[in-house]
Amino acid sequence: MVDFAGQVAVVTGAGRGLGRLYALSLAQLGASVVVNDMGGAMNGDGADRGLADAVVREVEDAGGVAVASYDSVADPAGAQQIVRTAVERLGRLDAVISNAGIFTSVPFEDLTPVEWERMRSVHLDGGFYLAQAAYRVMKGQGYGRLVFASSSGGMFGQPLEAHYAAAKAGLVGLSNVIAIEGAAHGIRSNTVLPFGFSRMVTETVGDPEALENLGFLQVIRPELVVPLVVFLAARECELTHHNYSACAGRYARVFVGLGQGWLAPTDSDPTAADIAEHLPEISAAEPFTIPGSIFEEVLAVCERLGVRAM
Ligand code: NAD
C-alpha cells in the first residue's frame, strides 16, 4: 500500500511530460503537490506560466490539492522559493522529485562553454539548489524522500550529449552523498533513469515517420515510469543510495560495481608491464561488490592488505 495522505510533494518540470504524470499520480494518491514549471522551450529558452497552471487545474478538477510555481530550479533563490511554496502554502514537505530538464544535441567537439554551462545549471546545479533547500526542511522534521531524474545517457553514454550526460551522471554523485548524510535524519535519496515518450523524444527524433512507426517509441509510454518514481517518493520506500532504470515496463537497478581486481604483492613496485600482464583480472567485472561509500572500498582493500583503515 502506497499512500500520500497528509503529505506534500514538490515536482519540478511538472507542467508537461513525465513531471506532469508524477504530479497527477501523487495528487491522486493523496499528496498536496507543488507543480513547478517555468514553461520554457526544450533548450530552456522562454517561459510560460500557463503550463504549471494547467496541471494545477487538472489536479483540482480531479479533487486534489496543488499549487503552481514558476521559478527556475537553475536559480538558487528560485529553488528556495519552490521549497518555501511547499512549506508556507501547503504546510510541510515530504518528497521532492527533481525532474525539470532541458535537452540539446551537439557533437562534443562543437560544444561551447555556454552550452555546457546552461545544461549543467538546469540539471546539476538545479538539483543541488533544490535538494539543499529541501534537505534543510527534511532534516528538521526527521523525514524526507528525494528522487532525481538522471538518465541512461549519463550512466552509459549517449552520442551528442556530453553536456547532458555529464550533468545527469553528476546527479548520481549528488544523490549518493545526500543518501549517506541524510540516512541518520530519515532522508532517503535515489535516482531514476527514465525512458518516456515526451517532447524530449519527439523534438529530438524529429522524423515524423520514425515517430509514427518505431516500435521502441511506441513502448516507452511515459505512464510506465510513474509507479517507480512514486514508489521512490513514498514513505513506504526505505531504499536509498540506489539508481533505477524504467524502460518500457522493465524496471531495473543500475549500479556502479567494484571489481575484485588484482592485488600487487605487498612491498612490490608494480610496473606498467605488470598492469598489462594482469589486465584480465584488473578489468574483470566479476566478482564485484557495490560499495555503499568510499569507506567501504577502503575497508575492503585494508582487509586484504591486513592493515588498519583508521
Ligand atoms: P519535458 O521537456 O517534456 O519536460 C521538462 C519540463 O521541465 C518542461 O516542462 C520545462 O519547462 C521544465 N523546465 C526546464 N527547465 C526548467 C527550470 N530551469 N526550472 C523549472 N522547470 C524547468 O521532458 P521529459 O521528457 O518529461 O523529461 C523529464 C526529466 O526526465 C528531464 O530531467 C529529462 O532530462 C529526464 N529524462 C527524460 C527521458 C525521456 O525519455 N523522456 C530520458 C532520460 C531522462
Side-chain angles (χ1 to χ4, degrees):
M1 182 69 183
V2 171
D3 180 21
F4 284 86
Q7 296 189 38
V8 173
V10 161
V11 184
T12 65
R16 59 160 79 79
L18 293 163
R20 170 179 160 271
L21 297 176
Y22 303 152
L24 292 175
S25 181
L26 287 165
Q28 203 198 352
L29 290 167
S32 300
V33 184
V34 176
V35 175
N36 163 264
D37 204 303
M38 61 176 289
M42 198 175 72
N43 68 0
D45 284 345
D48 178 1
R49 292 181 164 221
L51 269 90
D53 287 340
V55 175
V56 167
R57 269 197 306 277
E58 269 189 274
V59 169
E60 288 173 346
D61 288 349
V65 177
V67 296
S69 146
Y70 320 105
D71 296 293
S72 170
V73 296
D75 169 22
Q80 279 184 19
Q81 186 54 41
I82 296 168
V83 168
R84 216 176 294 128
T85 300
V87 173
E88 289 177 2
R89 300 207 32 211
L90 298 172
R92 53 183 288 118
L93 178 58
D94 299 282
V96 168
I97 299 178
S98 178
N99 165 81
I102 59 173
F103 196 77
T104 57
S105 300
V106 190
F108 175 61
E109 62 182 327
D110 299 333
L111 196 54
T112 66
V114 170
E115 288 165 328
W116 172 268
E117 150 74 22
R118 187 176 222 203
M119 192 60 74
R120 198 207 64 216
S121 75
V122 174
H123 290 278
L124 186 54
D125 299 358
F128 160 60
Y129 299 143
L130 181 72
Q132 191 183 55
Y135 184 95
R136 289 172 176 156
V137 172
M138 290 170 171
K139 184 177 170 186
Q141 68 194 13
Y143 174 82
R145 298 288 180 264
L146 292 158
V147 186
F148 295 92
S150 182
S151 167
S152 290
M155 292 302 279
F156 304 130
Q158 183 173 358
L160 310 182
E161 300 303 337
H163 52 342
Y164 178 79
K168 287 304 204 189
L171 287 171
V172 172
L174 175 67
S175 176
N176 285 344
V177 175
I178 293 172
I180 292 169
E181 293 190 19
H185 309 293
I187 297 171
R188 309 286 175 253
S189 182
N190 297 286
T191 77
V192 64
L193 289 54
F195 289 81
F197 194 79
S198 71
R199 74 160 176 185
M200 235 176 233
V201 176
T202 55
E203 292 188 25
T204 306
V205 173
D207 174 13
E209 163 146 8
L211 286 170
E212 185 78 8
N213 298 321
L214 265 186
F216 172 67
L217 298 182
Q218 316 300 316
V219 295
I220 52 166
R221 285 191 293 116
E223 290 80 3
L224 292 170
V225 180
V226 176
L228 177 65
V229 169
V230 166
F231 174 72
L232 293 175
R235 185 173 284 276
E236 290 76 4
C237 171
E238 279 294 340
L239 298 171
T240 196
H241 202 293
H242 285 198
N243 315 290
Y244 290 97
S245 164
C247 180
R250 190 292 331 270
Y251 307 97
R253 183 172 178 190
V254 176
F255 53 87
V256 178
L258 174 67
Q260 184 172 272
W262 170 65
L263 186 64
T266 316
D267 297 330
S268 69
D269 291 311
T271 63
D274 292 324
I275 298 297
E277 189 187 332
H278 291 279
L279 213 48
E281 293 156 83
I282 293 171
S283 297
E286 286 179 309
F288 67 87
T289 56
I290 309 171
S293 71
I294 188 172
F295 302 121
E296 289 190 17
E297 176 180 14
V298 169
L299 282 173
V301 172
C302 288
E303 208 170 289
R304 279 169 81 179
L305 290 171
V307 299
R308 281 170 47 126
M310 281 174 256

